[in-house]
Amino acid sequence: MIREPAVSGMFYPSDREKLNEMVDYFIENALSKVEEKKYRGIIVPHAGYIFSGRTQGFSYTAEIPERAIIFGVNHHAQGAPVSLFGEGKWRVPNGILDCDSEIYKVLMKESDVFALDPHAHLEEHSIEVQLPFLIRRNPQVLITPISIYDYRVEIIREIGRAISKILFKFPNTILIASSDFSHYVPDEVARKKDHIAIAKILESDAEGLWEVVEGNNITMCGLGPVGALLFSLGKAKASELFYETSATASQDYSNVVGYASIVFE
């Protein structure tokens, strides 16, 4: 099965050359400020590139190893609550990436929290927009897309338990959590609330992240993907590389979305 792009020409350019130029610009800009490093996990936004591409570039200063597990938001709540794509390929304008048939089969045996449901992925953008960056960093990377809309902490903890076992079996794997932060609030509110959540992420405190997101009404769409990464990695050393809001591009400071690049060593 080949998964065709759903948001090409909307979230990013549909022209191969223009897309490569844009992605390379964001990565090179970030590499002029931070060094390329090997990380165990990254948090990266998933908006249109004109808004979040610069932040994405910072996350993709990470070396991309042989395998990548991508936790995505299922904005449409289509299909199974925790959906694996399974075998096949994902196409975007600048290339095609193969899905990792080994990891998905191990996950299906490891926990019944996962369902094989490629249809849950067909209209969703949160994983798709990561692929042009991955292709420019390592066009041979094998991907395991996981789409999530059940954010109950016990479900996300179980995902993390299963993934932590995968990391022992397949150590040359990076975890990618696709998440934007505050949505449609004033810029100063987004920055304040987002850094309450980011503080818990930097402490690798998954349970605490749920508490502050719910307690402070932080409209973070990727709580599930970020939580899955935190539960998978345990107490990994985390750093915030970059943060900005959509106001940088839109100049509208009254109604913004927040974006953060966070990496885990």
Side-chain angles (χ1 to χ4, degrees), residues 153-227:
V153 69
E154 59 269 24
I155 296 295
I156 304 303
R157 186 188 295 110
E158 173 61 12
I159 295 172
R161 184 199 64 78
I163 296 294
S164 66
K165 290 197 171 185
I166 289 291
L167 296 179
F168 282 104
K169 187 175 180 64
F170 302 99
N172 199 22
T173 301
I174 189 170
L175 304 184
I176 300 171
S178 179
S179 178
D180 297 337
F181 282 76
S182 285
H183 282 64
Y184 314 127
V185 296
D187 185 81
E188 64 272 18
V189 174
R191 290 176 181 273
K192 180 179 179 180
K193 287 191 172 186
D194 288 349
H195 280 89
I196 294 172
I198 289 169
K200 292 299 180 183
I201 294 169
L202 296 179
E203 295 170 1
S204 294
D205 183 357
E207 302 275 2
L209 178 62
W210 255 257
E211 292 174 6
V212 299
V213 166
E214 294 173 358
N216 293 276
N217 191 29
I218 301 171
T219 49
M220 170 186 176
C221 66
L223 177 60
V226 171

Side-chain angles (χ1 to χ4, degrees), residues 43-45 55-60 239-243 259-263:
I43 295 173
V44 59
T55 309
Q56 283 180 270
F58 277 85
S59 294
Y60 287 106
S239 303
E240 179 185 348
L241 294 186
F242 190 72
Y243 175 91
Y259 313 118
S261 167
I262 301 172
V263 295

Side-chain angles (χ1 to χ4, degrees), residues 108-136:
M108 289 293 290
K109 292 178 181 178
E110 179 63 35
S111 176
D112 60 7
V113 75
F114 300 102
L116 178 60
D117 189 355
H119 298 285
H121 294 262
L122 297 185
E123 297 180 17
E124 178 54 51
H125 68 271
S126 63
I127 293 174
E128 177 182 328
V129 298
Q130 310 309 329
L131 304 194
F133 282 85
L134 287 169
I135 286 169
R136 297 306 280 172

Side-chain angles (χ1 to χ4, degrees), residues 11-157:
F11 279 60
Y12 57 81
S14 58
D15 178 82
R16 179 188 182 98
E17 184 175 335
K18 290 180 180 178
L19 176 56
N20 282 338
E21 288 177 357
M22 177 177 272
V23 170
D24 290 350
Y25 169 79
F26 289 133
I27 294 172
E28 289 166 8
N29 172 68
L31 285 171
S32 71
K33 298 174 175 63
V34 299
E35 63 178 313
E36 179 183 49
K37 291 184 71 173
K38 184 176 181 179
Y39 296 113
R40 205 61 164 135
I42 59 176
I43 295 173
V44 59
H46 55 235
Y49 285 6
I50 61 169
F51 298 106
S52 68
R54 184 159 70 150
T55 309
Q56 283 180 270
F58 277 85
S59 294
Y60 287 106
T61 59
E63 296 178 14
I64 301 301
E66 177 185 358
R67 292 176 153 98
I69 296 173
I70 312 171
F71 303 115
V73 177
N74 188 335
H75 290 91
H76 306 286
Q78 293 182 349
V82 182
S83 302
L84 298 175
F85 186 81
E87 298 184 81
K89 303 174 184 288
W90 283 49
R91 190 201 315 270
V92 286
N94 64 338
I96 298 177
L97 290 177
D98 290 317
C99 293
D100 194 325
S101 60
E102 287 187 277
I103 285 183
Y104 113 79
K105 290 175 182 176
V106 174
L107 286 174
M108 289 293 290
K109 292 178 181 178
E110 179 63 35
S111 176
D112 60 7
V113 75
F114 300 102
L116 178 60
D117 189 355
H119 298 285
H121 294 262
L122 297 185
E123 297 180 17
E124 178 54 51
H125 68 271
S126 63
I127 293 174
E128 177 182 328
V129 298
Q130 310 309 329
L131 304 194
F133 282 85
L134 287 169
I135 286 169
R136 297 306 280 172
R137 299 296 281 147
N138 179 3
Q140 303 303 317
V141 64
L142 298 173
I143 61 169
T144 301
I146 305 175
S147 186
I148 307 168
Y149 71 80
D150 188 338
Y151 284 7
R152 288 177 294 170
V153 69
E154 59 269 24
I155 296 295
I156 304 303
R157 186 188 295 110

